[in-house]
Amino acid sequence: MLRRSLSRISPLLSNGLLLRSEESRESPRQAATVSIDRSGLYNPPEHSHEPSSVPELVKHLKSIIKFRGGPISVAEYMEEVLTNPQSGFYINRDVFGAGGDFITSPDVSQMFGEMVGVWTMCLWEQMGQPENVNLVELGPGRGTLMADLLRSSSKFLKFTRSLNIHMVECSPALQKVQYSTLKCADEAMNDDSSAKRTISMLSGSSISWHATLEQVPLGLPTIIIAHEFYDALPVHQFQKSPRGWCEKMIDISEDSLFRLVLSPQPTPASLLYLTKRCRWASSEEIRDLEHIEVCPKAMELTHQIAKRISLDGGGALIIDYGKDGLISDSLQGIRKHKFVDILDNPGSADLSAYVDFASVRHSAEEVSDNISVHGPITQSQFLGSLGINFRVEALLQNCNEEQAESLRTGYWRLVGDGEAPFWEGPDELTPIGPLRSEAHRAFPVRLIRLQTLTCGHIDEKRSSCKL
């Protein structure tokens, strides 16, 4: 669900311009000549007025590879596919929900956003109930999680009045959807209406949008929610070979299709990021792996989050698919709730990879000794500890049979295959925790896990929020 502006990382595989001096063998006294290697220069095709059936993003990716004179990293490919300003998967359309490409936990039941709201209010209480706090959501999707959070907490007026909500979203199309979902309205801040602010009618809280986390103002205690955001950050992939660890790259084959190749020599990512990640792992953990994925953007983002909450106080909640250790080979494409090849029609499918929660923890702890990292734990444990069992029972007392069945199914999809759920779900449905898509029970289980980062004067005994 990527919804952010990401920087470019370029491999050192391009030919560029090569200047060399060549002495003539026939005449040793002949003046030196200079030749230019143009093999890496991009030669655009002849202009044509005929319509082309090749998608713009495919042409753009091929032009990058041709201009470089060599392949690009999987991370750069993933970045372009998801967030290219013109043709990126997330940029120009709504990809969420049953009518989109995949379903996330907030789409399954209102209870998910309500439980995240309980966690947020509890942290706010533990921080001493500050009068002003930044509540930041990274990659808010359709705004469903934030809407359920605000709706369920609206009776806690002191809490909602303290909120300055910041939505970090790079897609203009999704910003419009979020504006509608949160029942937003623009109001004048002074008599001459020269300045306006946006508020959510669900809670009266102010809301603003940003392309990156860096744009969110500093200076206030900050609570950050990142739900299925890390899994869409671009990853570098490495494969063990007779000559050592080589980076997987994406090139163009002779039949003009994209293909995976191995770098012939070390790349910046292998020298910097793979080396750093392996320092955090034991030799036993690395020994049996043939593939390793590393996400530098996750490390960088975690640094930003940890610095922010170390400086201003607050906490962060990271909810995603992943494991507490090295990730081997998890990158996958999802289109219309089905798994597809990551190289098939780029820009038409979501690309996501498991989150390396151990790397997140190490990255946070690098920033400051004041950062406390908890987890990861499973989604089932998280929701259960916040009281989802009591919430579903309360909701069942005021609904008809059709609504009750929907609640039971939603509950099972959120906590199923976890700690003794109340009800078994329908045979044809898979819990949203283990698997993002509804239809593919045969694929390996993917557990949603959660990790929290906190800092500041936190009193863990002060936690009495209940819905």
Side-chain angles (χ1 to χ4, degrees), residues 9-13 73-75 235-241 243-249 262-279 292-296 299:
I9 302 174
S10 302
L12 293 182
L13 291 177
S73 68
V74 171
V235 297
H236 290 266
Q237 292 189 316
F238 305 92
Q239 180 175 320
K240 188 182 293 182
S241 76
R243 61 179 183 272
W245 285 100
C246 298
E247 184 167 6
K248 289 184 181 180
M249 314 292 287
L262 290 181
S263 62
Q265 58 190 16
T267 62
S270 63
L271 295 173
L272 295 174
Y273 307 125
L274 179 62
T275 301
K276 179 177 182 178
R277 181 59 187 91
C278 288
R279 284 201 300 265
I292 293 179
E293 284 178 352
V294 180
C295 186
M299 300 178 189

Side-chain angles (χ1 to χ4, degrees), residues 240 245 285-292 326-328:
K240 188 182 293 182
W245 285 100
E285 188 178 7
I286 300 171
R287 182 179 55 210
D288 298 328
L289 292 179
E290 297 294 326
H291 304 267
I292 293 179
L326 280 171
I327 306 297
S328 178

Side-chain angles (χ1 to χ4, degrees), residues 71 156 166 173 179 215 259 268 293 297 323 352 409 412 430 464:
F156 296 89
H166 300 273
Y179 186 96
Q215 296 175 1
R259 63 172 180 171
E293 284 178 352
K297 289 295 180 184
K323 58 179 288 189
S352 66
T409 300
W412 181 82
T430 302
S464 59

Side-chain angles (χ1 to χ4, degrees), residues 158-457:
K158 188 175 181 180
F159 169 70
T160 55
R161 287 170 181 166
S162 73
L163 297 180
N164 300 280
I165 299 172
H166 300 273
M167 310 287 269
V168 177
E169 176 60 72
C170 69
S171 167
L174 287 175
Q175 286 184 12
K176 293 179 181 178
V177 175
Q178 294 155 16
Y179 186 96
S180 175
T181 302
L182 294 170
K183 311 295 183 186
C184 289
D186 297 328
E187 66 174 20
M189 297 179 63
N190 47 42
D191 294 336
D192 61 5
S193 301
S194 59
K196 294 183 178 181
R197 69 168 185 163
T198 301
I199 62 169
S200 169
M201 304 308 293
L202 298 176
S203 63
S205 307
S206 65
I207 300 183
S208 55
W209 278 263
H210 314 272
T212 64
L213 178 60
E214 293 93 329
Q215 296 175 1
V216 178
L218 293 167
L220 291 177
T222 300
I223 300 174
I224 298 173
I225 299 169
H227 175 247
E228 292 202 32
F229 183 81
Y230 271 70
D231 70 320
L233 297 176
V235 297
H236 290 266
Q237 292 189 316
F238 305 92
Q239 180 175 320
K240 188 182 293 182
S241 76
R243 61 179 183 272
W245 285 100
C246 298
E247 184 167 6
K248 289 184 181 180
M249 314 292 287
I250 292 177
D251 202 357
I252 305 173
S253 64
E254 294 180 357
D255 54 3
S256 295
L257 299 176
F258 293 110
R259 63 172 180 171
L260 286 168
V261 298
L262 290 181
S263 62
Q265 58 190 16
T267 62
S270 63
L271 295 173
L272 295 174
Y273 307 125
L274 179 62
T275 301
K276 179 177 182 178
R277 181 59 187 91
C278 288
R279 284 201 300 265
W280 292 336
S282 66
S283 57
E284 291 78 12
E285 188 178 7
I286 300 171
R287 182 179 55 210
D288 298 328
L289 292 179
E290 297 294 326
H291 304 267
I292 293 179
E293 284 178 352
V294 180
C295 186
K297 289 295 180 184
M299 300 178 189
E300 179 184 329
L301 176 62
T302 303
H303 278 158
Q304 293 178 25
I305 293 173
K307 287 178 182 178
R308 183 177 290 262
I309 62 178
S310 177
L311 179 65
D312 295 330
L317 175 65
I318 301 167
I319 309 171
D320 230 310
Y321 298 93
K323 58 179 288 189
D324 192 15
L326 280 171
I327 306 297
S328 178
D329 186 10
S330 70
L331 182 60
Q332 63 183 14
I334 300 175
R335 182 191 301 126
K336 298 299 180 183
H337 307 275
K338 295 182 180 180
F339 292 100
V340 297
D341 191 308
I342 65 169
L343 302 179
D344 178 40
N345 194 11
S348 67
D350 181 34
L351 300 181
S352 66
Y354 283 14
V355 175
D356 178 356
F357 283 107
S359 174
V360 173
R361 179 177 64 254
H362 287 297
S363 298
E365 291 171 347
E366 277 186 338
V367 172
S368 171
D369 293 335
N370 295 327
I371 298 296
S372 176
V373 183
H374 306 275
I377 62 174
T378 65
Q379 178 172 288
S380 179
Q381 292 171 318
F382 175 75
L383 297 176
S385 66
L386 290 169
I388 191 172
N389 292 354
F390 302 104
R391 180 57 175 160
V392 71
E393 290 287 17
L395 291 172
L396 285 170
Q397 296 177 8
N398 299 289
C399 61
N400 57 38
E401 186 54 38
E402 181 180 354
Q403 293 169 329
E405 182 61 26
S406 177
L407 277 172
R408 294 189 183 100
T409 300
Y411 168 86
W412 181 82
R413 295 203 66 195
L414 292 176
V415 303
D417 290 356
E419 287 66 43
F422 287 163
W423 305 281
E424 289 297 321
D427 292 337
E428 68 275 11
L429 287 181
T430 302
I432 199 70
L435 197 61
R436 172 183 272 182
S437 173
E438 292 184 4
H440 300 283
R441 297 180 65 92
F443 283 85
V445 167
R446 304 179 64 194
L447 284 178
I448 288 185
R449 298 182 185 274
L450 303 99
Q451 198 164 52
T452 60
L453 287 64
T454 57
C455 184
H457 302 289

Side-chain angles (χ1 to χ4, degrees), residues 112-120 145 149 225 317 319 382 386:
F112 184 81
E114 291 173 348
M115 293 301 103
V116 174
V118 170
W119 176 87
T120 304
L145 187 156
L149 186 159
I225 299 169
L317 175 65
I319 309 171
F382 175 75
L386 290 169

